[in-house]
Amino acid sequence: MTISCRPAVPLEDLAHAGPDEGTVAAIMEAAGIIERRLESVLEGVGLSISKFDAIEKLIQAGEPLTLGDLASELRCVRSNVTQLVDRLEAEGLVKRGACPNDRRAVRAMVTPVGVERHAAGVTAIRGVQAEIARRLGAGDRAALTKLLGRVAD
Amino acid sequence: MTISCRPAVPLEDLAHAGPDEGTVAAIMEAAGIIERRLESVLEGVGLSISKFDAIEKLIQAGEPLTLGDLASELRCVRSNVTQLVDRLEAEGLVKRGACPNDRRAVRAMVTPVGVERHAAGVTAIRGVQAEIARRLGAGDRAALTKLLGRVAD
DNA sequence: AAAGATTGACAGCTCAATCTTT
DNA sequence: AAAGATTGAGCTGTCAATCTTT
């Protein structure tokens, strides 16, 4: 699991486009549609994508994570995690605790409520994934994934 | 032209994945890579994606646009455009003016500097598009676009 | 009242500066 | 000094008032 990717928007303007534009536009548009869908279903469960991702990483780790380690997992900056955990803690989904080894560090731990919320999020997300999978056939699904792999670094 | 789509992140966690996850993850990841690339080249020209998009819409319109109309074009909320135009105006890329028909409205107009900056942005973006196009063949480019179309609503 | 824009408050991200502990 | 986290300021977005003009 794990989602991530910010919103998205139009880019329907393929007017006077060379042969290239269409592909980039199509990728961004598809990603935007999926992300809005994910935001929508997660909202129904009381989570944002960012919050889900953070809890997901903590659960995957199986133990409390240092805020710095969590930032690494989320591929974002430490100060971002500080604020994200502020909001998660205010909502009772995560709890800050001291780090036994290093007194500079702070560890984030998922609460039982957080675990529950996460489970609901997983169900919601699987629904979206299944919906996308249904729209593509099983074969096209594989073909699409393969093609997209060539875009990556 | 016109870009748009927010950042993106990992989602490499396809562990214990059903057959579905991979596709959604691949789409989001590809979009993330492209967006970071676009942000990077636009930064080299003194623009953000949001700023480029706004100027792009104004230039496409061929005449000053009401902030409300610009919001519609950008598919965002009016208050967002108010602030975006604040920053664009502070940078001298856009200028606010009165609307002749309706004294409630404010029209945004691109300045000569804004036009220049936009042109540099277009060149930068075409470079990214060409790079992506090169990585895919001409045939795969078409195939990918077609497959992505099935994800859309 | 309803449509223009703006403002204020907040989520989510970044970077630069700071503060504590190593 | 360097690694932990936090804070402050700015960008980009949203929503809920507010204020002016229609």
Side-chain angles (χ1 to χ4, degrees):
Chain A
M1 197 61 54
T2 286
I3 323 172
S4 288
C5 179
R6 305 294 97 248
V9 205
L11 60 147
E12 64 297 326
D13 316 343
L14 314 180
H16 31 70
D20 307 345
E21 271 110 275
T23 309
V24 166
I27 295 173
M28 304 300 262
E29 191 162 19
I33 288 171
I34 293 173
E35 182 168 21
R36 282 187 293 272
R37 199 80 195 79
L38 289 172
E39 281 174 343
S40 170
V41 299
L42 281 179
E43 188 186 356
V45 143
L47 284 176
S48 65
I49 292 180
S50 300
K51 287 177 180 172
F52 175 86
D53 279 350
I55 299 179
E56 168 87 0
K57 294 298 187 184
L58 289 174
I59 289 181
Q60 274 176 7
E63 57 178 1
L65 281 186
T66 273
L67 297 203
D69 288 349
L70 183 52
S72 295
E73 287 297 323
L74 295 173
R75 297 171 179 286
C76 74
V77 120
R78 269 190 301 262
S79 65
N80 187 26
V81 169
T82 294
Q83 305 171 108
L84 182 52
V85 169
D86 280 350
R87 295 188 295 268
L88 285 167
E89 202 172 15
E91 238 181 308
L93 306 180
V94 150
K95 213 178 148 5
R96 260 183 257 241
C99 181
N101 317 330
D102 190 339
R103 280 195 322 210
R104 292 173 298 182
V106 172
R107 292 191 316 172
M109 179 180 17
V110 185
T111 66
V113 186
V115 173
E116 254 179 63
R117 197 77 68 95
H118 172 262
V122 170
T123 302
I125 292 166
R126 291 222 195 277
V128 174
Q129 288 171 331
E131 181 195 339
I132 304 293
R134 206 182 334 107
R135 288 192 206 177
L136 300 153
D140 288 355
R141 198 151 66 218
L144 177 54
T145 303
K146 183 153 185 265
L147 285 173
L148 286 168
R150 273 231 271 304
V151 172
D153 268 335
Chain B
M1 198 59 56
T2 286
I3 323 173
S4 288
C5 178
R6 303 297 94 250
V9 204
L11 59 147
E12 63 297 329
D13 317 342
L14 314 179
H16 31 71
D20 308 344
E21 272 110 275
T23 309
V24 166
I27 294 172
M28 304 300 263
E29 191 162 20
I33 288 171
I34 293 173
E35 182 168 21
R36 283 188 292 272
R37 199 80 196 79
L38 290 172
E39 282 174 343
S40 169
V41 300
L42 280 179
E43 188 187 356
V45 143
L47 284 177
S48 64
I49 293 181
S50 300
K51 287 175 181 174
F52 175 86
D53 279 350
I55 299 179
E56 168 87 359
K57 293 300 186 184
L58 289 174
I59 289 181
Q60 274 175 7
E63 58 177 0
L65 281 186
T66 272
L67 297 203
D69 288 349
L70 183 51
S72 294
E73 286 298 324
L74 295 174
R75 297 171 179 286
C76 73
V77 122
R78 269 190 302 262
S79 64
N80 187 25
V81 169
T82 295
Q83 306 171 109
L84 183 52
V85 169
D86 280 349
R87 294 188 295 267
L88 285 167
E89 203 172 15
E91 238 180 308
L93 306 180
V94 150
K95 213 178 148 5
R96 259 182 258 241
C99 181
N101 317 329
D102 189 338
R103 279 195 324 212
R104 292 173 297 181
V106 172
R107 292 190 317 174
M109 177 180 20
V110 185
T111 66
V113 186
V115 173
E116 255 180 62
R117 197 77 67 95
H118 172 263
V122 169
T123 302
I125 291 166
R126 290 221 196 277
V128 174
Q129 290 171 331
E131 181 196 338
I132 304 293
R134 207 181 334 109
R135 287 193 206 176
L136 301 153
D140 288 354
R141 199 151 66 218
L144 177 53
T145 303
K146 183 154 184 265
L147 285 172
L148 286 168
R150 274 231 270 304
V151 172
D153 268 336

